[in-house]
């Protein structure tokens, strides 16, 4: 009798584990026509370098890069249109608005994409999004209010710390503007099943045409500041960097 009871209990216990496992797998499965996707942001030297390595461009050695984003959404060509053989350039792109990925990405985020001198992948958003080929991401550079008011990055939409000729240097902005990041591949980024995308902030493009040997510490406080309102007298360098921002971010498939 006791043996039969134990066997019955073991069977019930095993069935419970199986049902629980099945339930977990079902919870992880995206709804039909959707993908479970994650979107990251990182920084790199573009074609002259890669992520996960020290980023040094035009004499500026970056030790930290934090950017604040908001109101992000992605645009894509539906999987059915691609399978029908329609060229991506001839497809009216759809937006992933109201998907859980977009809802997550739309929130204001403080993204540290370089830390301690090395580039890193910061998670922007995760969730379900329609399957298809993703051609662009649009987002707003936003003043960073997610950090403490005592943090030097507070209210900065972009904050890059580093060194120029062994002198501490900071590039920063409070500008709020819309950035349109196009896909690296002409076919876009294919999203289906479990997918990962990345917004790559290309430091070579961001600092293109910027001669950091001209950067000065105008107020003599031992720190070079390149920011708005003529901080330290580096107005031309700041203007060039900000004009480069629009073309410095690319949407890619995460390797």
């Amino acid at each position: 009798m006791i043996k039969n009871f134990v066997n019955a209990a073991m069977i019930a216990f095993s069935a419970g584990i199986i049902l629980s496992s099945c339930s977990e797998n079902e919870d992880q499965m995206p709804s039909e026509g959707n993908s479970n996707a994650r979107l990251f942001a990182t920084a790199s030297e573009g074609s002259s370098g890669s992520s996960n390595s020290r980023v040094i461009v035009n004499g500026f050695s970056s030790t930290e890069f934090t950017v604040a984003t908001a109101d992000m959404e992605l645009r894509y060509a539906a999987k059915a249109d691609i399978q029908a053989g329609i060229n991506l350039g001839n497809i009216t792109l759809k937006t992933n608005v109201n998907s859980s990925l977009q809802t997550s990405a739309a929130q204001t985020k403080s993204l540290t994409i370089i830390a301690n001198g090395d580039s890193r992948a910061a998670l922007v958003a995760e969730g379900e999004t329609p399957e298809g080929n993703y051609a662009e991401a649009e987002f707003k550079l936003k003043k960073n209010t997610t950090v403490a008011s005592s943090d030097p990055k507070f209210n900065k939409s972009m904050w890059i710390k580093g060194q120029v000729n062994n002198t501490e240097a900071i590039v920063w902005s409070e500008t709020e503007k819309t950035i349109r990041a196009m896909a690296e591949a002409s076919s876009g980024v294919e999203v289906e099943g479990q997918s990962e995308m990345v917004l790559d902030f290309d430091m070579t493009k961001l600092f293109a045409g910027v001669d950091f040997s001209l950067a000065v510490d105008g107020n003599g406080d031992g720190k070079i500041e390149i920011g708005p309102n003529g901080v330290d007298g580096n107005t031309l360098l700041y203007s060039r960097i900000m004009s480069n921002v629009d073309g410095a971010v690319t949407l890619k498939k995460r390797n």
Side-chain angles (χ1 to χ4, degrees):
M1 184 72 173
I2 293 175
K3 182 177 180 181
N4 290 340
F5 177 79
V6 171
N7 287 339
M10 290 296 293
I11 292 171
F13 179 72
S14 299
I17 293 176
I18 293 171
L19 289 173
S20 175
S21 177
C22 290
S23 177
E24 288 177 3
N25 288 337
E26 288 172 1
D27 289 342
Q28 294 173 359
M29 291 295 291
S31 56
E32 186 176 356
N34 280 356
S35 165
N36 279 335
R38 295 200 294 174
L39 176 65
F40 294 84
T42 194
S44 74
E45 294 177 58
S47 59
S48 62
S50 62
S51 60
N52 301 319
S53 61
R54 189 167 297 274
V55 179
I56 304 173
V57 176
N58 290 359
F60 191 103
S61 178
S62 302
T63 56
E64 185 173 349
F65 185 173
T66 298
V67 60
T69 65
D71 303 332
M72 186 179 298
E73 63 181 62
L74 295 100
R75 299 191 178 97
Y76 67 99
K79 184 177 180 179
D81 291 336
I82 297 296
Q83 290 178 334
I86 303 175
N87 185 279
L88 186 62
N90 297 324
I91 295 174
T92 300
L93 297 177
K94 302 176 183 293
T95 176
N96 76 330
V97 66
N98 296 327
S99 69
S100 57
L101 181 70
Q102 187 273 334
T103 299
S104 175
Q107 300 170 16
T108 299
K109 302 287 178 67
S110 178
L111 306 169
T112 298
I113 55 180
I114 297 177
N116 299 319
D118 296 324
S119 62
R120 52 170 291 183
L123 181 65
V124 179
E126 58 184 337
E128 286 193 31
T129 196
E131 292 183 328
N133 285 42
Y134 281 65
E136 61 184 71
E138 187 174 279
F139 63 94
K140 178 178 286 186
L141 286 182
K142 188 79 172 176
K143 289 183 179 179
N144 194 343
T145 57
T146 66
V147 297
S149 59
S150 58
D151 193 305
K153 297 181 285 294
F154 180 74
N155 261 349
K156 310 293 194 301
S157 55
M158 188 171 70
W159 193 85
I160 309 171
K161 182 179 180 180
Q163 288 187 328
V164 174
N165 292 326
N166 296 318
T167 300
E168 181 181 346
I170 296 175
V171 176
W172 61 274
S173 178
E174 296 177 341
T175 297
E176 294 188 327
K177 64 184 297 185
T178 298
I179 302 295
R180 188 181 178 202
M182 306 303 294
E184 177 183 43
S186 59
S187 58
V189 179
E190 185 178 2
V191 171
E192 63 178 351
Q194 306 287 335
S195 298
E196 292 188 341
M197 296 175 281
V198 62
L199 290 169
D200 181 20
F201 286 72
D202 186 330
M203 302 298 286
T204 299
K205 292 180 180 179
L206 184 63
F207 289 160
V210 180
D211 185 354
F212 285 106
S213 68
L214 302 177
V216 295
D217 175 16
N219 58 13
D221 65 352
K223 178 172 59 180
I224 296 171
E225 291 192 67
I226 303 173
N229 305 318
V231 175
D232 266 350
N234 295 305
T235 303
L236 292 179
L237 299 181
Y238 173 75
S239 297
R240 184 59 184 259
I241 292 169
M242 293 310 296
S243 68
N244 288 341
V245 171
D246 292 301
V249 190
T250 304
L251 179 66
K252 300 179 178 182
K253 184 177 182 64
R254 188 176 184 225
N255 295 324

